[in-house]
Amino acid sequence: MIVGRPTFEEVAGAAQRISSIAVVTPVLGGSGFPGGGEVWLKAECLQETGSFKVRGAANTLLSLTEEERSAGVVAVSSGNHGRAVAFVAARLGVRATICLSERVPSSKVEAIRALGAEVVVGGPGQDEAEAAALDLAATGVTYVHPFDDPRVIAGQGTVGLEIAEQVSQAITLVVPLSGGGLISGVATAVKHLIPGVRVVGVSQERGPAMHLSLQARRVVDVVEEDTLADALAGGLGRENHLTFGMCRDLVDSTVLVSEEDISGAMRHLWREHGLRVEGGGAVGAAALLSGKVPPSPVTAVVLSGGNVGEETWRAVLDA
């Protein structure tokens, strides 16, 4: 069900709707960042299920009719969205199937299974996993899109509502960028509440679908590559209805960070702040630490997730 871009009012409504499931995450003062300005870290890595994704999943499932809930839901995911859908579905007593690619880390696969969802491995990449999910949706199961759905975007936008209250003087807001659901929702909220705020999206160098699409001014295909930022992997889908246009209109700029930048940021966040942040969640901090996003007097950075497997985590810390 694609209707149109969610409004600020719909984001505010989502905040009320999901309050019993998603928590208000803290903003922590950042240290060790270059430039001398204030840096504030929005710790979505401390969210239920370990990432911001629970917000959009909760808003979507809580918006379903009783008939839709009884039919069950299906989602395609690089890990965090699937875990969020499985978590919310379990809370609501809804049957959930999560379609994943072979690239999804085993730790994220097992976390989804532990929540009671059925897991389907759809093939080597996100496109194949999406095809498997759409095949199931064609049988009458409700498809919960990972990003390109107004209910999902509105749910993710509640991160922006909280930032606007917690860091009301923010000049720059740095947000991880993948399919665009998070940054679209956040920008919808903060640009309504903080006049003049600049929103910057950050992607990994390996397969940055939205970044390349915005440069080309059209949705482009990308080749998926292994990356520490596995949560940001994948393309924009067969048809993109909302997030490409919203990113084009609401995001002020986008930058890319290297694998070395990402691992360095993960170590920094752990050693300086005691935060275990996955690669995809750490790209905003990586952009600041590497100088790819210039410092401003007040910068807020979204740390979007903390779900990283033990083997990867130890390798990053030991590097």
Side-chain angles (χ1 to χ4, degrees), residues 66-286:
E66 286 302 321
E67 182 179 0
E68 289 171 326
R69 288 193 192 187
S70 64
V73 296
V74 62
V76 60
S77 175
S78 57
N80 287 340
H81 176 63
R83 184 172 178 178
V85 170
F87 173 79
V88 177
R91 287 279 295 268
L92 300 179
V94 175
R95 187 177 74 257
T97 302
I98 311 300
C99 297
L100 307 170
S101 81
E102 295 167 0
R103 292 181 177 274
V104 175
S106 60
S107 60
K108 293 186 175 182
V109 177
E110 292 312 311
I112 292 169
R113 284 200 174 104
L115 289 166
E118 180 181 353
V119 172
V120 173
V121 178
Q126 192 78 345
D127 288 345
E128 291 82 3
E130 180 189 39
L134 291 174
D135 286 344
L136 280 172
T139 68
V141 179
T142 298
Y143 181 47
V144 184
H145 201 285
F147 54 87
D148 198 37
D149 183 293
R151 299 163 297 185
V152 171
I153 297 168
Q156 320 305 28
T158 61
V159 175
L161 292 181
E162 293 173 18
I163 290 172
E165 182 175 339
Q166 294 164 321
V167 194
S168 59
Q169 301 303 311
I171 293 171
T172 304
L173 178 57
V174 186
V175 186
L177 175 64
S178 179
L182 174 61
I183 201 169
S184 295
V186 166
T188 297
V190 297
K191 293 208 165 187
H192 184 89
L193 295 170
I194 307 177
V197 69
R198 184 168 179 264
V199 178
V200 180
V202 185
S203 298
Q204 75 288 358
E205 289 180 350
R206 298 179 177 177
M210 184 63 80
H211 172 85
L212 294 176
S213 295
L214 292 172
Q215 284 193 329
R217 299 186 179 183
R218 60 180 178 83
V219 175
V220 300
D221 293 329
V222 295
V223 176
E224 288 186 52
E225 302 179 59
D226 290 336
T227 172
L228 277 172
D230 57 86
L232 307 183
L236 301 188
R238 297 175 181 175
E239 295 182 7
N240 186 277
H241 298 276
L242 297 172
T243 57
F244 172 73
M246 292 183 74
C247 287
R248 179 194 61 214
D249 297 342
L250 296 173
V251 177
D252 295 286
S253 64
T254 63
V255 300
L256 301 180
V257 290
S258 68
E259 297 298 299
E260 292 75 19
D261 294 334
I262 296 168
S263 62
M266 293 169 72
R267 288 191 293 273
H268 177 90
L269 292 166
W270 176 248
R271 293 168 182 170
E272 290 287 326
H273 306 92
L275 293 172
R276 179 168 169 152
V277 182
E278 64 185 284
V283 293

